[in-house]
Amino acid sequence: MPTASERHRATTVRRLERATGSLATAASARMESELPWYAAMSAEDRSWVNLVAQAGIAAFVRWFRDPEGASAITADVFGTAPQELVRAVSLQQTVDLVRTTIAVVEEHVQELASPEDLPWVREGMLLYSREIAFAAAQVYARAAEARGAWDARLESLVLDALLRDDLADDVVSRGAALGWGAVTGVCVVTGHAPDGDPETVAEGVKRAARHHRYDALTGVQSQRLVVVLGNVTDAATAARAVLAHFAPGPVVVGPVVPRLADAGRSAKESLTALRAAVAWPDAPRPVLAEDLLPERALDGDDDAVARLVTEVYDRLLAEDPALVETLSAYLERTGSLEGTARELFVHPNTVRYRLRRVADVTGLTPTMPRDAWSLRMALALGRLGEDRTST
């Protein structure tokens, strides 16, 4: 024969079961009045949220009837909603949903339980709210793991396409799925990959990029660490944000391009410059790919050859052939203004003036050793091109 305590418990359970619908309705009304994100949702998503709230109350009643034998809270509550709802409702919003629903039940608990059972019911609600909180965290953790694995695969596909310079429409759409659809100012940074787990290395790079407010795609490709940075205005500054995560050796930054769809050009320049960087042991770290044009030209990079000829030799000839003559004489005489002036039968101030014009036209200063080397290469390549054309 049931004891008085068991009869009270059974009565309370029946009251809770009868009140499940009204409690769910009250919880929905409270969410609509107090949670702005709920009111902004589509009707379909709101209906799913309501079903989750109702399932939560019903699961509480079942759990309250038999805490030890109740089915898993995850299946009872969150299993009623489709997986898409996890993306539509954030974890913080789920916490708000649970808090609001529990608060509504607490407000009505005095009407549903006898005075003897009130402490017992409230204690049960505390235990249940803890269980459902853990269940919600588990659901979102699994969704995050699945999303992370999918994002990692998409990221790998995008990086492979960048290195092959094969950015088809589907690759751009994959970048959009990773949140890069509206990202502007993109550059590619390459260098040697450090030892260790590639996923750990990639996470460290992304953490450093986020700290400096850059977006980042990254991966280890054939012992190279490739980092695509977004929201970049200055390539060298952006590269320094992730520099510490590269192994010792050269780190090369490709040019900034408008969008991810154009990043193949930045990747190509960065990779060809990385291969040629061994020819400049004293290169800064990081170094811009365009600062390695002479070494890239020596390594057989046709684009570097074309840029040196077009941006230096052809531009100087178009400005004034005397600039080419003066620059050539100055470089051949190891930077002697007086020797150059005697060779050309002009005043040294004329030589100075022409060298300043060379710097203005090309952006390279003949009196600087590194720039003088780039200018010498450009003159040699320009003459070779003219000779082949005439032949």
Side-chain angles (χ1 to χ4, degrees):
M1 184 174 180
T3 64
S5 177
E6 291 173 342
R7 287 196 298 273
H8 283 307
R9 184 185 182 99
T11 301
T12 299
V13 168
R14 285 195 296 272
R15 288 176 181 174
L16 288 171
E17 287 175 338
R18 287 195 296 269
T20 298
S22 60
L23 289 174
T25 302
S28 299
R30 177 74 61 85
M31 285 187 287
E32 189 160 3
S33 63
E34 294 185 359
L35 302 179
W37 60 265
Y38 176 82
M41 295 180 75
S42 67
E44 181 180 5
D45 286 342
R46 279 202 305 273
S47 68
W48 280 117
V49 171
N50 292 340
L51 283 177
V52 169
Q54 186 169 353
I57 295 171
F60 168 68
V61 175
R62 289 194 297 273
W63 179 88
F64 184 72
R65 182 193 300 118
D66 185 9
E68 300 298 329
S71 58
I73 291 174
T74 304
D76 284 344
V77 180
F78 300 105
T80 62
Q83 288 297 316
E84 290 77 8
L85 195 64
V86 176
R87 291 190 287 272
V89 180
S90 69
L91 179 58
Q92 179 60 51
Q93 291 169 342
T94 301
V95 171
D96 293 339
L97 163 64
V98 172
R99 183 184 293 118
T100 302
T101 304
I102 295 294
V104 168
V105 176
E106 282 182 337
E107 289 174 4
H108 292 79
V109 74
Q110 286 185 318
E111 306 168 9
L112 302 173
S114 62
E116 309 81 40
D117 294 338
L118 195 56
W120 177 46
V121 174
R122 284 180 171 162
E123 182 180 353
M125 290 185 62
L126 288 174
L127 292 172
Y128 179 78
S129 61
R130 182 193 67 181
E131 294 297 322
I132 202 168
F134 281 124
Q138 187 178 31
V139 169
Y140 278 87
R142 283 201 302 264
E145 287 176 1
R147 175 69 180 179
W150 178 245
D151 284 355
R153 177 163 176 76
L154 284 180
E155 188 171 353
S156 178
L157 291 172
V158 170
L159 285 175
D160 286 340
L162 284 177
L163 299 184
R164 296 195 312 269
D165 196 13
D166 182 24
L167 279 180
D169 290 341
D170 59 336
V171 177
V172 176
S173 66
R174 287 169 184 155
L178 291 169
W180 281 67
V183 174
T184 58
V186 178
C187 72
V188 178
V189 187
T190 59
H192 299 302
D195 296 331
D197 177 42
E199 291 185 6
T200 303
V201 172
E203 183 55 38
V205 170
K206 291 179 180 177
R207 189 163 49 247
R210 285 194 300 268
H211 178 72
H212 291 85
R213 301 176 184 269
Y214 298 117
D215 291 302
L217 299 175
T218 184
V220 176
Q221 304 273 343
S222 302
Q223 306 304 315
R224 295 175 308 215
L225 177 58
V226 180
V227 182
V228 183
L229 295 175
N231 295 320
V232 174
T233 53
D234 182 85
T237 300
R240 280 191 283 271
V242 297
L243 184 62
H245 297 276
F246 286 87
V251 175
V252 182
V253 194
V256 178
V257 294
R259 306 178 310 278
L260 182 64
D262 308 307
R265 178 166 63 86
S266 184
K268 181 181 179 182
E269 289 205 35
S270 181
L271 290 171
T272 57
L274 179 65
R275 188 175 62 242
V278 65
W280 187 12
D282 296 328
R285 193 173 185 267
V287 61
L288 299 178
E290 63 181 14
D291 290 341
L292 284 158
L293 285 177
E295 288 76 14
R296 290 165 55 188
L298 286 173
D299 195 41
D301 184 351
D302 292 337
D303 289 340
V305 171
R307 284 186 58 183
L308 283 171
V309 172
T310 302
E311 298 177 9
V312 178
Y313 186 74
D314 291 347
R315 194 173 290 176
L316 288 174
L317 279 180
E319 181 71 17
D320 186 352
L323 298 180
V324 175
E325 182 185 25
T326 302
L327 176 61
S328 179
Y330 177 77
L331 295 174
E332 291 297 329
R333 280 149 190 81
T334 62
S336 171
L337 290 172
E338 289 75 12
T340 303
R342 286 195 298 270
E343 173 68 20
L344 299 177
F345 300 102
V346 296
H347 194 277
N349 285 342
T350 302
V351 175
R352 292 190 181 90
Y353 169 72
R354 290 177 180 176
L355 294 180
R356 283 197 299 270
R357 288 184 62 194
V358 168
D360 292 339
V361 171
T362 65
L364 300 171
T365 305
T367 56
M368 302 291 292
R370 176 67 193 177
D371 287 357
W373 156 244
S374 299
L375 290 166
R376 184 183 288 274
M377 281 288 299
L379 293 182
L381 292 169
R383 289 167 181 148
L384 283 172
E386 283 187 343
D387 181 69
R388 292 194 183 102
T389 300
S390 62
T391 302

